Amino acid sequence: MKTASLESHERSLARADALQAAKFALNEVRSNFPGQGAHRAMRSAKLRLGALLQSLTWAVLFTALLLWGKEPLMHWWRDVILFWGLHLDIPLRAGNGESGLLLWIQATGTSVMPTSDIILATTAAVIALYGATFWLSDAMTPLKYLIRTLCVVQATAILFFTFEPSLFSYSIPGHLQAILNAGYGVMLAVPVLLALGYGILPIRARDRFLHTAWVLGYLALMVPHMAVLHAIVLQYLSVLFMPLLYLCFGVVFDVMIFVALYSWLASRVPAEALN
């Protein structure tokens, strides 16, 4: 009983010390930043109805434009991919409405299925990369788990193509079309996301339009060129990497790019504007 009572008393003293330390730290922050009780990231700007309505108006107009222009955009993306395909010797051709936007014209006697050498080399690379993460410091934990995630996805593909390659039924044009569709879907969400998250900040009225157009323009250029990179990897390294490209460098990558662009725009808002 005495031991339990002593442990309880020690825990009470520890809680009291921790509370006192927290109060001391809070007082130090307030003394160093008078009039700013919280960090900028923990404060919020006042919601202005006019800014919200203006942002939503631009969002509706941009969304309507994207919906109306889907077919021209897709065909322009196809032309961009075909242009680079011609200069990089990627065997792509224009498709029709039934076959899709793109066709893969494989040369006789060649294949995009992984060879045993590619599988062995990729296996060794995956093992080496995964093992290297154990040498990364704690400060690099996010990078550590990102690399491990990529390794696990690729290891799954290796197992599949080692034991059941005949069950793989996906084509390169189908993969590229999926990448384009995913990019278009992200672009559709951008106007509303920016309107509700960035447009309501105290920024100039023209910036609500220009910055939304800039982000959409960036994605419109990035998506087809990312598809070209996918085609190069699949042509020279085989479809062994298609699952990795689709799961980690498809829509997930598009969203990460949008988050990065949004963060950069938001960081440019003056701190005093949020006070």
Side-chain angles (χ1 to χ4, degrees):
M1 291 295 292
K2 290 182 178 180
T3 301
S5 176
L6 181 58
E7 291 179 352
S8 177
H9 178 66
E10 290 177 347
R11 285 195 296 268
S12 298
L13 291 177
R15 283 195 295 268
D17 291 340
L19 181 59
Q20 184 177 2
K23 290 181 178 179
F24 176 78
L26 181 60
N27 290 333
E28 284 292 316
V29 171
R30 289 175 174 173
S31 63
N32 292 330
F33 301 94
Q36 300 185 25
H39 187 269
R40 177 188 177 191
M42 300 179 65
R43 300 195 305 272
S44 60
K46 293 181 180 179
L47 178 62
R48 295 179 296 168
L49 183 59
L52 177 61
L53 292 177
Q54 185 184 71
S55 298
L56 290 177
T57 299
W58 287 127
V60 170
L61 291 177
F62 276 116
T63 302
L65 180 62
L66 285 170
L67 291 173
W68 172 81
K70 179 181 180 181
E71 185 174 350
L73 178 65
M74 286 289 180
H75 282 81
W76 180 72
W77 281 352
R78 179 193 63 184
D79 292 341
V80 171
I81 295 173
L82 292 176
F83 170 82
W84 288 112
L86 178 64
H87 290 79
L88 297 173
D89 293 327
I90 303 174
L92 286 170
R93 300 292 184 271
N96 54 38
E98 296 180 357
S99 60
L101 292 174
L102 297 165
L103 293 175
W104 186 268
I105 309 301
Q106 189 69 38
T108 304
T110 62
S111 174
V112 292
M113 294 298 290
T115 63
S116 58
D117 290 340
I118 291 178
I119 291 178
L120 288 175
T122 305
T123 301
V126 167
I127 294 174
L129 283 174
Y130 195 94
T133 61
F134 291 98
W135 296 93
L136 296 178
S137 64
D138 292 339
M140 304 182 73
T141 295
L143 177 61
K144 180 190 303 185
Y145 285 104
L146 174 60
I147 295 176
R148 289 181 180 180
T149 300
L150 298 178
C151 288
V152 169
V153 173
Q154 189 58 48
T156 304
I158 291 173
L159 290 175
F160 176 86
F161 281 100
T162 299
F163 297 103
E164 294 292 346
S166 60
L167 297 180
F168 189 77
S169 59
Y170 298 95
S171 65
I172 293 180
H175 170 82
L176 298 179
Q177 185 63 58
I179 295 300
L180 298 182
N181 290 338
Y184 176 75
V186 172
M187 290 181 64
L188 274 180
V190 163
V192 175
L193 293 176
L194 285 181
L196 298 178
Y198 175 72
I200 60 175
L201 297 177
I203 58 178
R204 291 177 296 183
R206 68 175 185 177
D207 288 342
R208 296 188 179 91
F209 170 83
L210 293 177
H211 290 169
T212 301
W214 180 81
V215 172
L216 289 174
Y218 185 93
L219 291 173
L221 286 173
M222 185 198 77
V223 169
H225 289 89
M226 184 171 64
V228 172
L229 290 176
H230 284 206
I232 294 173
V233 172
L234 296 175
Q235 178 185 5
Y236 292 104
L237 297 180
S238 81
V239 293
L240 176 65
F241 296 89
M242 186 180 289
L244 179 68
L245 293 174
Y246 181 78
L247 294 175
C248 301
F249 296 97
V251 65
V252 173
F253 186 79
D254 295 337
V255 172
M256 291 176 64
I257 291 296
F258 166 73
V259 171
L261 294 175
Y262 169 83
S263 301
W264 179 74
L265 289 174
S267 69
R268 295 171 59 86
V269 178
E272 57 271 14
L274 299 179
N275 292 334

